[in-house]
Amino acid sequence: MTPALQATALTVPGRLAKVSLALGPAELVAVVGPNGAGKSTLMQALAGLLPASGDILWNGQSLPRIPAQERGRRLAWMGQEALFEFGFPVREVVAQGRFAWGDDPAGVAEALAAMDLVDLGDRPVTRLSGGERHRVILARALATQAPLQLWDEPVAQLDVRHALEVYRLARQLVERGNTVLVSLHDIRAAYRFDRVLVLDRGRLVGDGPPHAVLTADLIRTVFRVEATFTTSLVPELPAGPG
Amino acid sequence: MKTRAALPLLGLLLAAAFLASLAFGELRLGPMQVLDALVGRGDSLSRTIVWDFRLPRTLVGLAAGAALAASGVVMQAFFRNPLADPGLLGVSSGGALGAVAVLALGPSLGLAAASIWTLPVASVAGAFVATGAVILLAERGAGTERLLLSGVALNALLGAGTSFLLTISAGHFEVNAQILFWLMGGLENRSWEHVWMGVPIILLGCLLLLPMGRALNLLSLGEQSAQSLGVDVRRLRRRLIVLATVLTALATAIGGIIGFVGLVVPHALRLVFGPDHRRLLPYSMLGGAAFLLACDLVTRLFPIGLRLGVVTAVVGGPFFLWLLRRAR
């Protein structure tokens, strides 16, 4: 089976060193690592937004051969920064996700609803809270309906309810055959994913199911903290339509 | 405000400014006299006034206003900073230095009468040097402070060059007067030569910009996100910066340094009609043309030695200060 996203010896000088990975279709993958480990760089490089050496294949096709517009249809990237200088209404920013499709509005309404933005549709994005702005750019990524979704710390600024909805949404996308790669600042959230990649100082030091990868040893080496595995408060969305 | 009304409204404003610009002056013409003269009827005096004097001046003002406002819109989106403006960033100063260099050094180099293209070409070259410097000094997405400070530094540097040229040509009164004209901006004594020098290419530049509004919307909210959504950002940026620089340079070549048009006009229109560049671009072109013609009218209606650059600055300066206070 052709991987949905594959990288070989991906290198960005000083930030990412020879990272090789392959993500299958319908895989839900998390990236964790301490600050500065290269999570954002990895995502930007995979999305073709940074000059990087090494090979990147999207669905078996070499990235440099894919024209700009086609890239917009096949991969959605949600960055960490959600700063807006111009006060476009929320609805229009989300609709920008349809640029590569000639602004055909398919999926915009669903994306707004999925990110709980329907009531904010006409609000200028300059007048939103940090968390709301992140929901806007995530909705824009969803609106692309691209089968590859790369989200860089989507929940860092979200309240617990919206964060859980992001995880549920990611799971739903994967069940429909999409590939979702999410970077996380909180390693505890990695247990909600099928597979976790661990980055440390630009190197890939772990790759596999979270229970197998996130051992006390690895956490001590990479994050320089002691891990105790206990039961503690684990918030979940209520069952049924919430 | 209803955006549907914007285009007719701005078109009407521009038409009114256009007619007023042809009607007012030392000898006042009635609206019918102007229209008659335009179609080649009426008495020969008003035909001469309209065709030989006022129409070139009006067309130059119209084109310079549209060019400056359009290039303001582009620079604001390009630098992702609503306070970017070709004048504040030093691009106009670069264009003026190029033009002044030709004026000051031309006679000794035998360039002066070489061709009507010498001046605009020198102006475009000077503006490109300035644009290149701004891009190097303040990266895209740079904060307001960094961008404006780069502009301050660049304006000072280019102004020093211009002052130097002004000093060394101090012995030649005529050259000096011409240079002062550039520095303060103005539409006096514009001839058809100036029209041909700038207007066709400005028109072409504006037409090329119009279809870029959609991509500008994405670029104005972030380079990487625009790229990820399917915009060929490198190609777009190259085109934008070339067009904005050429438009500013040609406006400067035919009208001298005229500040604040590129800042005030897009800003005011954005406040009223929203930030969508698909609309903001054409609105700003029409609005910029009307605004500049109106400012030029002020210099004519109050003949107390007001220069066009002075009037736009008197309107634009306070507006800019208000914007700075309001920002964040």
Side-chain angles (χ1 to χ4, degrees):
Chain A
M1 192 165 55
T2 318
L5 186 59
Q6 187 171 14
T8 315
L10 194 60
T11 301
V12 177
R15 290 155 74 182
L16 211 59
K18 297 206 170 153
V19 171
S20 297
L21 52 87
L23 309 184
E27 248 197 308
L28 179 58
V29 185
V31 192
V32 297
N35 295 340
K39 303 186 292 289
S40 299
T41 306
L42 174 66
M43 295 209 144
Q44 289 168 1
L46 289 172
L49 303 175
L50 268 189
S53 61
D55 290 322
I56 299 170
L57 303 177
W58 292 6
N59 242 333
Q61 197 180 358
S62 174
L63 181 58
R65 292 171 178 275
I66 308 175
Q69 187 186 8
E70 179 68 23
R71 292 184 190 191
R73 295 181 174 199
R74 287 169 59 173
L75 182 142
W77 169 83
M78 177 220 171
Q80 251 183 65
E81 254 184 51
L83 291 171
F84 301 112
E85 289 293 343
F86 298 94
F88 289 88
V90 167
R91 194 183 314 282
E92 282 180 29
V93 174
V94 174
Q96 287 184 346
R98 304 303 297 164
F99 179 84
W101 297 98
D103 289 341
D104 131 48
V108 174
E110 290 89 329
L112 282 165
M115 283 296 107
D116 196 11
L117 290 169
V118 176
D119 293 338
L120 295 175
D122 297 318
R123 175 96 59 96
V125 285
T126 39
R127 282 200 260 135
L128 296 177
S129 75
E132 288 167 339
R133 289 200 302 268
H134 277 83
R135 274 151 56 200
V136 170
I137 58 173
L138 187 52
R140 181 170 66 180
L142 291 174
T144 63
Q145 301 188 330
L148 277 167
Q149 295 276 337
L150 270 52
W151 305 342
D152 197 353
E153 299 207 359
V155 300
Q157 298 207 30
L158 300 194
D159 56 53
V160 58
R161 167 90 196 191
H162 287 111
L164 290 173
E165 275 170 0
V166 169
Y167 298 136
R168 179 167 69 182
L169 188 73
R171 175 66 66 191
Q172 286 168 348
L173 286 171
V174 168
E175 279 162 6
R176 281 184 247 139
N178 301 291
T179 305
V180 182
L181 179 66
V182 180
S183 74
L184 300 170
H185 73 296
D186 180 359
I187 39 174
R188 287 169 299 182
Y191 288 94
R192 299 174 180 277
F193 289 73
D194 300 336
R195 178 177 163 192
V196 56
L197 309 171
V198 184
L199 283 176
D200 186 22
R201 281 163 286 175
R203 292 175 189 282
L204 188 62
V205 296
D207 180 356
H211 288 97
V213 171
L214 295 174
T215 59
D217 268 352
L218 177 129
I219 291 173
R220 188 179 307 121
T221 329
V222 174
F223 293 92
R224 291 182 293 149
V225 293
E226 292 300 326
T228 345
F229 297 85
T230 64
T231 26
S232 64
L233 191 150
V234 180
E236 292 294 348
L237 290 173
Chain B
M1 187 183 276
K2 281 274 185 293
T3 49
R4 214 175 322 145
L7 223 46
L9 192 75
L10 289 165
L12 216 66
L13 264 177
L14 179 57
F18 181 82
L19 284 178
S21 173
L22 293 177
F24 289 100
E26 273 173 48
L27 200 134
R28 192 171 294 193
L29 301 174
M32 286 321 290
Q33 273 175 299
V34 169
L35 290 174
D36 274 345
L38 269 181
V39 295
R41 290 202 306 253
D43 56 297
S44 73
L45 178 64
S46 35
R47 278 211 306 271
T48 308
I49 291 176
V50 167
W51 278 95
D52 294 353
F53 297 102
R54 291 194 192 153
L55 193 55
R57 177 176 188 155
T58 303
L59 290 174
V60 165
L62 191 147
L68 289 171
S71 106
V73 171
V74 170
M75 290 197 179
Q76 284 150 26
F78 186 94
F79 288 104
R80 249 182 299 143
N81 193 318
L83 295 178
D85 163 83
L88 291 170
L89 297 185
V91 180
S92 300
S93 307
L97 180 60
V100 168
V102 169
L103 291 172
L105 307 174
S108 40
L109 298 174
L111 270 172
S115 126
I116 65 160
W117 296 107
T118 317
L119 203 70
V121 166
S123 180
V124 169
F128 265 105
V129 171
T131 305
V134 181
I135 291 177
L136 281 179
L137 288 168
E139 296 133 52
R140 285 164 298 278
T144 305
E145 286 132 63
R146 200 178 155 91
L147 199 60
L148 294 183
L149 285 175
S150 308
V152 168
L154 206 58
N155 269 322
L157 195 65
L158 295 164
T162 309
S163 302
F164 172 69
L165 291 172
L166 195 60
T167 324
I168 60 167
S169 57
H172 312 277
F173 175 74
E174 209 166 291
V175 171
N176 242 332
Q178 261 181 310
I179 293 178
L180 280 176
F181 172 86
W182 289 102
L183 299 184
M184 289 191 285
L187 299 179
E188 293 86 349
N189 307 318
R190 300 294 85 182
S191 64
W192 282 100
E193 201 172 87
H194 295 102
V195 174
W196 298 129
M197 204 187 264
V199 178
I201 298 181
I202 286 177
L203 196 67
L204 182 69
C206 286
L207 287 177
L208 288 173
L209 270 182
L210 282 177
M212 297 189 189
R214 241 179 106 227
L216 264 180
N217 281 346
L218 272 70
L219 188 70
S220 72
L221 294 186
E223 218 166 279
Q224 283 190 319
S225 63
Q227 176 88 46
S228 78
L229 293 167
V231 179
D232 189 339
V233 167
R234 255 173 61 183
R235 200 174 67 170
L236 175 70
R237 272 195 348 229
R238 209 163 43 226
R239 289 181 179 180
L240 288 174
I241 210 63
V242 167
L243 285 171
T245 307
V246 167
L247 285 175
T248 304
L250 286 178
T252 311
I254 58 178
I257 296 188
I258 306 165
F260 289 112
V261 178
L263 181 78
V264 174
V265 173
H267 250 290
L269 293 170
R270 206 182 277 120
L271 282 176
V272 183
F273 299 113
D276 188 339
H277 292 86
R278 285 171 296 188
R279 297 194 290 259
L280 192 59
L281 272 172
Y283 294 178
S284 295
M285 290 168 190
L286 293 175
F291 176 72
L292 203 67
L293 288 180
C295 287
D296 181 47
L297 262 179
V298 173
T299 68
R300 276 188 271 170
L301 292 177
F302 303 96
I304 50 168
L306 278 175
R307 303 286 318 218
L308 180 58
V310 175
V311 177
T312 58
V314 165
V315 179
F319 185 76
F320 182 65
L321 291 175
W322 175 73
L323 278 178
L324 269 182
R325 266 188 70 92
R326 196 173 162 275
R328 259 165 285 266

